[in-house]
Amino acid sequence: MADFTYSVDADGVAILTWDCPGKSMNVMTREAFALVSEMIDAALADPAVKGIIVTSGKDTFAGGMDLNVLARIREEAGDNPAQALFDFTMSGHHILRKLERAGMDAKTLKGAKPVVCAIPGTSAGIGTEVALACHRRIMADNPKAKIGLPEILVGLFPGGGGTTRYSRMVGAMAAAPVLLEGKMLDPKAAKAAGLIDEVVAPDQLLVRAKEWLLAATDADCVKPWDQKGWKMPGGAPYHPAGFMTFVGAAAMVHGKTQGVYPAAKALLSAVYEGALVPFDTALRIEARWFTSLLMNPSSSAMIRSLFLNKEALEKGANRPNVADQRVAKVGILGAGMMGAGIAYVSALAGIEVVLIDAGQDAADRGKAYSEGLLDKGMKRGRVSAAKKAEVLGRITATTDYAALAGCDLVVEAVFEDPGVKAGVTAKAEAVIPAGAIFATNTSTLPITDLAKASARPEQFIGIHFFSPVDKMMLVEIIKGKQTGDVAVAKALDFVRQIRKTPIVVNDARFFYANRCIIPYINEGIRMVAEGVAPALVENAARLLGFPVGPLQLVDETSIDLGVKIARATRAAMGDAYPDDAVDAVLFAMADAGRLGRKAGAGFYAYDDKGGRLGLWDGLGGHWPVAAEQPELSEVQHRLMMAQVLEAVRALEEGVLEDIREGDVGAILGWGFAPWSGGPFSWLDIIGAARAVAICDGLAAHGARFNAPALLREMAARGESFYHRFGAGAKAA
Ligand code: NAD
């Protein structure tokens, strides 16, 4: 069966139905594009056809372009991939332009066959771009449906004409939320945003589409930009209003992206330059910018990490081959910040939850956390009263361990204390079924050590969530020495149920994410101690594309937590402990009661409502800013290498087994410069040799910048990580 089918009904309406066999969502491929082109030709050539309805055989419209296609075109093109990508993009423009003009006479603007897009549900990317090429867009009032052009979120921009068409439909300013932020809109919001024309009851979708089509006039089938005297809404760049818009947009984009996301720049350039020329030339310009973006290593890395690899991990790329381990009933020990969050995401996913704390009050407070989040959702119109009751009905808050009977998974989130953890492990294991899996959410304690408290260590595993649990998409699964395959599969199936992204790592101090985040924070603090201007430290990080600088990050996670971790690490490492300089600052801040945002005082100053005001002006009194400041690039190299080298060491030591997990985990876990695709992708972009040279240049700062042997070896051989370790390849 083909991806599109073609039929003509008794009233002469040609129906192009998109329905990729065996897929839950339609995605566009090269073959499908060629097929739809033939079908458009057939409909336009057939005198019996009065018009065309483009629709979907599924309850959604389309998920977008198959991004593997773009990678394949680049690979197949040999010496001139840019030309192949440009030609492919232009061929798409020709097809959609043919659909848009639909046989219209260029002089009289008459004679086009009406084309209407009937959108039953969610539509993204190329799906929405096909819709935009139609003369009218009618969408079903489907509560789950969203429509938009989210390409920017994977490092692209809408390159199938969507950028040019939508900006010309509503103006550059109004198009910004959809194009620049990748916002997906529900049908009503999409109508308000001019993305679609009508919202109808789902059972009326095709009826209404046909009614419009049969009544359509010549004027209904001419796009505004094909009419004489058309002017860009909101003004083209040289119009006074347009000038303001574009100047503002350029500043806003730069402010938000710090200039590190090529997609945002390319998008804005395509809109700006396209607005100055006729429509068909604008499409060519869009295609050139799109090609330049596809040739930029940042966008390939973003697509690879944020789309292809993320999806592969979510689908269980590293799942052991054992039977389905979906969770029916989960027990959560400890109803504090983390336990309450884990209870919420589990209940939301339809899992029965037993939430246990030492006192009933604490258990109830944990459940009330879910209620608070559901109430927020209700206020925003996203959660119904029935849904709230249903989700809360799944959570039993209690102190009674007997309630854990029948739980197939337990997640422990009590105090970070091995003794307390051992106690609750034994109590839970006395009740849960023999086959149940026991997971700990510890952030610092070795899984293998905690497993000693378990009578069944092969069923003991780490499932490490990030805070706040409902927002953070990464879950780190940690295998202890004795953890078995069923436990890994259970953890992965659980993470899939709650719709988060898993990485699976081996047991080592701080696992993977914290192992990299802590040196980043520490490097920032160390520089403050050395007299580097705190603003230089923070801005250097932001200019690298990190969402928050190290000092802001430690304020958010709290300085007392930093102190606790430092003490525990020192106790474990003894004389080898390398972070005295950091501790001097951290402990002084803690002694002064500047514990971070929660205390309203940290490296930053805060107002009464917790709003960040700026770096604390008292920092200079404690750690005077040196007269001579390092180059920005040196500060950046220190911040970057502090994290990246840990990622390489984690791979070298076998803590990480798959570089895809290292990259995806870094972006989702701590916001590692998403434009780079993650630490390994970043190293591939700059090359191992350059990375080693940077390390050598930082040698004076300490042994932590010594290039790992693996990196040196790769530099000598001219290897890249993705070439050497490829998708799914095991560590060295
Ligand atoms: P928390 O202090 O907010 O909550 C711990 C809860 O456990 C409290 O409600 C406490 O009453 C309960 N508790 C303590 N002893 C108990 C016992 N014997 N029986 C039943 N309940 C008991 O702590 P948290 O921030 O939610 O952290 C919990 C765990 O998650 C820790 O291991 C921590 O390292 C880990 N973790 C924390 C974060 C974070 O950002 N806070 C992130 C990842 C992992």
Side-chain angles (χ1 to χ4, degrees), residues 154-172:
V154 287
L156 288 175
F157 72 80
T163 297
T164 301
R165 286 196 173 86
Y166 186 53
S167 60
R168 287 183 176 224
M169 284 161 67
V170 300

Side-chain angles (χ1 to χ4, degrees), residues 332-342 356-359 362-363 365-366 398-399 401 412-417 419-421 423-424 427 440-445 450 463-469 511 514 557 561 564:
I332 296 167
L333 312 182
M337 186 164 92
M338 299 305 286
I342 300 165
I356 290 193
D357 207 293
R365 264 199 308 279
T398 179
T399 57
Y401 278 72
E412 168 277 302
V414 299
F415 296 141
E416 190 74 334
D417 176 310
V420 178
K421 286 189 188 294
V424 299
K427 269 166 101 174
T440 171
N441 181 48
T442 181
S443 28
T444 55
L445 303 169
L450 293 178
I463 302 185
H464 181 214
F465 284 85
F466 294 80
S467 170
V469 176
F511 319 131
N514 285 339
T557 53
L561 178 66
K564 244 194 211 161

Side-chain angles (χ1 to χ4, degrees), residues 214-479:
L214 292 175
T217 63
D218 275 330
D220 290 327
C221 305
V222 187
K223 286 293 175 73
W225 42 84
D226 283 328
Q227 294 167 10
K228 271 221 171 79
W230 172 80
K231 286 203 167 61
M232 178 126 174
Y238 293 143
H239 180 278
F243 178 79
M244 297 296 285
T245 303
F246 280 97
V247 167
M252 187 192 84
V253 166
H254 203 80
K256 277 199 173 171
T257 65
Q258 311 295 329
V260 290
Y261 289 90
K265 262 194 214 168
L267 168 78
L268 211 53
S269 303
V271 174
Y272 179 95
E273 292 166 16
L276 298 169
V277 293
F279 187 77
D280 287 297
T281 314
L283 284 181
R284 271 187 100 72
I285 290 174
E286 186 192 289
R288 291 210 185 284
W289 277 112
F290 191 58
T291 305
S292 99
L293 198 56
L294 291 173
M295 294 302 295
N296 187 309
S298 159
S299 16
S300 338
M302 275 181 86
I303 292 173
R304 187 175 58 203
S305 290
L306 291 171
F307 184 79
L308 303 174
N309 291 347
K310 177 171 168 290
E311 199 175 82
L313 298 180
E314 285 163 0
K315 285 192 174 158
N318 294 325
R319 186 184 184 283
N321 192 12
V322 298
D324 188 353
Q325 293 293 322
R326 243 171 304 181
V327 177
K329 183 174 174 188
V330 64
I332 296 167
L333 312 182
M337 186 164 92
M338 299 305 286
I342 300 165
Y344 171 71
V345 295
S346 305
L348 206 60
I351 301 171
E352 205 187 321
V353 176
V354 177
L355 182 57
I356 290 193
D357 207 293
Q360 188 63 39
D361 278 3
D364 290 340
R365 264 199 308 279
K367 180 169 174 177
Y369 177 75
S370 287
E371 192 167 3
L373 288 179
L374 290 162
D375 283 341
K376 250 192 213 162
M378 278 178 76
K379 264 194 206 134
R380 291 191 189 141
R382 288 195 191 140
V383 176
S384 66
K387 175 89 182 172
K388 175 183 160 184
E390 183 193 317
V391 174
L392 287 179
R394 289 197 194 107
I395 306 177
T396 305
T398 179
T399 57
D400 183 7
Y401 278 72
L404 293 175
C407 283
D408 48 327
L409 174 71
V410 168
V411 181
E412 168 277 302
V414 299
F415 296 141
E416 190 74 334
D417 176 310
V420 178
K421 286 189 188 294
V424 299
T425 305
K427 269 166 101 174
E429 284 189 353
V431 182
I432 55 178
I437 301 300
F438 189 100
T440 171
N441 181 48
T442 181
S443 28
T444 55
L445 303 169
I447 305 302
T448 309
D449 289 353
L450 293 178
K452 288 182 185 145
S454 168
R456 10 178 148 151
E458 72 286 356
Q459 288 161 238
F460 194 99
I461 193 163
I463 302 185
H464 181 214
F465 284 85
F466 294 80
S467 170
V469 176
D470 59 304
K471 295 223 173 75
M472 297 296 287
M473 294 315 292
L474 184 73
V475 179
E476 201 172 16
I477 294 170
I478 305 113
K479 295 186 278 189

